[in-house]
Every structure is written in structure tokens, then in C-alpha cells.
Amino acid sequence: AAADPSPLYNIPNVQWDDIGGLSHVRASILEAVELPLKHPKLFASSSLRRSGILLFGPPGTGKTLVAKAVATECRLPFISVKGPELLDSYVGGSEKNVRDTFDGARKAAKASQSNSCVLFFDELDSLAPYRDGRGDGGGAMDRVVSMLLAELDNISSDTNDNVFVIAATNRPDLLDTSLLRPGRLEKLVYLGLAEGTEQIVGILTALCRKFTFEDGMSVAGAAEKVAEYIPPFLSGADLSAVASGGMDRAMARVIEQAEAEAAKTGVQVEEVLEGWDDERCV
Ligand code: ATP
């Protein structure tokens, strides 16, 4: 059997067409990633630095999806870690996990064609909470934050490999502010909830792009219903649940029709379904 491809080379497969709205987010992130990729010499020889990106906003608004789409579009390996996964109760364990994560990203970058990769930190707030000089002063969490800052500084001045850090949080207010200094997570991008029919249409269109609609039905019609019946602010994840609910109902209806046909003709339901094209409607 063929060996599994090395996880170092894992390039995701999320197209921007899969994502509704958020075109401002695409433009702003690509600018930060594409420039160093297109002009490596400029970045190596000048004081220009790559800076990391912080995506923030409510849960389910597409932060992970966007980070993957950037890696897909730029053909970059994607390494993803969640803040809490790196926390370790052994003394020095969490710092080591942070260092190992960055080492892994550097390795992935070296192994890739463009000497680059995306390192995605989800739930960053749990790894780098605000240090106010009280509480954990000088304690374990302080050392984790210091290690994270040191690693962010290392990669921003590394002229051989491009490790693009994209971090995400629902609670930017909890983050240590030193993370946001120039050269670190300098670029802040907000992803909000969808509001109103137009934004809902944008997201539902992306989510339903492979569906076929029954005559008289459309994404716009569905979005109007959603906007009418469901609370005014919705995340992409909420709308994904609406779309898959529609899909489930359509499937149930198709099966019902196939069962009726099977009962009439004496053919097995599976055979009836096989005879139909896949384009039964939502
Ligand atoms: P969390 O903060 O909880 O980690 P997140 O912001 O990273 O959430 P994602 O994991 O990217 O959110 O999105 C969850 C799911 O919601 C996606 O898999 C997708 O189905 C849907 N989704 C979110 N935003 C969009 C969008 N703009 N267009 C299409 N689908 C979306």
C-alpha cells in the first residue's frame, strides 16, 4: 500500500468559493502572506518583516476556514494547534511544547517547495493570557507567554524560511498585549456574525453551491426565510446547520418518493435510487 503522505506536506483543500462573504478578510490576509512569498529577496535584505495575523470574532465565524483557504491558495503546508493542547502540567512542559511546535513549523517550511508554511494557533487566549504582573507573576503561564513571544520574534526575523503565523481567538480582550506588537501578531482581522438578508445570502450561497434547488426555490428565498424566522445575528456555523437541515429534509423527501415508487413497481428502493440522477432537489 502507498505510504501516507507526510503530514509536513499537508496542504489543505478549502476554496474561497466555499466561504461566503469575507472578501475583505481574504484581501487583507493575502497581502500579508503573498508579499513575502513573491519578494523573498526584498524581505531577506531589508528591514521589512513578516508579521503574524490575529483573526478574532465570535465562534463559528470562519476563522479556521479562512486560515485554511489562505494555505490552499498559496499552496502552503498547514500546521494547526489549539492553545490548550500545548498546556502541560509538568514544569517546563508547556514551553517545550511551544518550542517544538515552532520547530515543527520550520521543518515543514524547509520541506516545502516555497520554504514556507502556515502555522495556525487556535484558541490562542488559553496559551497567552494577559499578564498584569499579579496572579501568575513569574509563574508557569508567564514563561509560556515569554517563549511564545521569543518564537514569534525568531520567525519574524528568519530570512530563510517563511513561517506565517495565523492565530485565532474569540476573546481578544484576554490576550497578553505584548503579542500584538509590531513584527508579532501585528495584523488584526475581525470576522463578525452575518446580519441581514444580503450577508446571509452570501454565506448560504457558498454553503449550497453544490445543491440543486427545486423550481421556485432559491438561495435568496431561503435566506429571506432564515432572516425572517431566526435571530438577526448568525454565524457561518449556524447557517451551515440551516443548510444541512435543508439537505437532510430533501434527502428524506427523496427517500420517501423512492419508497413510494418501489412499492408501486416492486423494485428495491436502492435500485430506484440508483436509477435517479443525483440532482434531486433541496
Ligand atoms: P471557533 O472560534 O469556534 O473555532 P471558527 O471561527 O474557527 O470557530 P470555523 O471552524 O472556521 O469557525 O467554521 C465552522 C463551520 O462554519 C465551517 O466548517 C463552515 O461549515 C461554517 N462557516 C463559518 N463561516 C463560514 C462562511 N463565511 N462561509 C461558509 N461557511 C462558513
Side-chain angles (χ1 to χ4, degrees):
D4 280 339
S6 159
L8 290 183
Y9 293 98
N10 265 346
I11 296 173
N13 185 19
V14 174
Q15 312 300 323
W16 287 102
D17 283 351
D18 297 329
I19 304 180
L22 305 184
S23 50
H24 66 290
V25 172
R26 174 176 185 264
S28 146
I29 300 182
L30 280 181
E31 190 184 76
V33 174
E34 278 182 334
L35 211 62
L37 285 177
K38 281 192 183 142
H39 305 286
K41 284 198 186 122
L42 188 67
F43 275 76
S45 63
S46 71
S47 58
L48 275 178
R49 284 177 309 188
R50 276 181 309 279
S51 65
I53 298 160
L54 178 67
L55 305 176
F56 67 104
T61 45
K63 298 182 285 299
T64 310
L65 216 50
V66 158
K68 285 188 176 166
V70 172
T72 306
E73 180 163 353
C74 299
R75 311 284 316 140
L76 301 178
F78 183 80
I79 297 169
S80 170
V81 284
K82 284 191 196 308
E85 285 169 3
L86 301 186
L87 295 176
D88 188 323
S89 53
Y90 284 103
V91 176
S94 309
E95 293 100 290
K96 180 175 181 308
N97 290 342
V98 171
R99 202 173 48 229
D100 289 349
T101 301
F102 278 87
D103 282 346
R106 276 185 283 266
K107 256 192 216 149
K110 273 199 190 2
S112 81
Q113 276 187 348
S114 54
N115 269 15
S116 310
C117 77
V118 169
L119 173 55
F120 180 63
F121 271 100
D122 205 359
E123 301 176 40
L124 183 70
D125 46 283
S126 59
L127 198 62
Y130 180 62
R131 298 178 298 177
D132 59 0
R134 291 177 291 148
D136 188 41
M141 271 330 277
D142 272 9
R143 293 199 302 271
V144 175
V145 180
S146 301
M147 176 59 76
L148 191 58
L149 296 176
E151 287 292 358
L152 286 172
D153 291 342
N154 282 345
I155 57 158
S156 100
S157 55
D158 184 339
T159 50
N160 298 316
D161 306 309
N162 287 313
V163 175
F164 294 103
V165 175
I166 303 182
T169 181
N170 306 325
R171 295 293 309 270
D173 54 309
L174 297 182
L175 282 181
D176 194 80
T177 45
S178 50
L179 279 166
L180 311 180
R181 294 221 187 103
R184 295 174 181 166
L185 301 176
E186 198 175 340
K187 190 156 210 150
L188 306 186
V189 183
Y190 176 68
L191 283 80
L193 296 170
E195 185 194 355
T197 314
E198 198 181 314
Q199 289 183 10
I200 293 175
V201 168
I203 295 181
L204 278 182
T205 302
L207 287 165
C208 301
R209 78 190 171 98
K210 293 181 182 153
F211 294 4
T212 308
F213 280 83
E214 213 168 69
D215 285 347
M217 289 284 291
S218 66
V219 171
E224 261 168 34
K225 282 215 163 56
V226 170
E228 197 178 318
Y229 292 113
I230 301 185
F233 298 102
L234 293 165
S235 70
D238 296 330
L239 289 166
S240 169
V242 170
S244 42
M247 188 69 182
D248 288 348
R249 279 195 299 281
M251 288 292 288
R253 224 171 44 223
V254 168
I255 290 168
E256 221 173 82
Q257 288 165 4
E259 280 171 351
E261 177 113 357
K264 243 197 295 174
T265 57
V267 182
Q268 295 286 319
V269 176
E270 286 72 26
E271 274 179 58
V272 174
L273 284 169
E274 267 167 31
W276 287 353
D277 59 25
D278 301 333
E279 301 212 330
R280 294 271 153 170
C281 319
V282 170

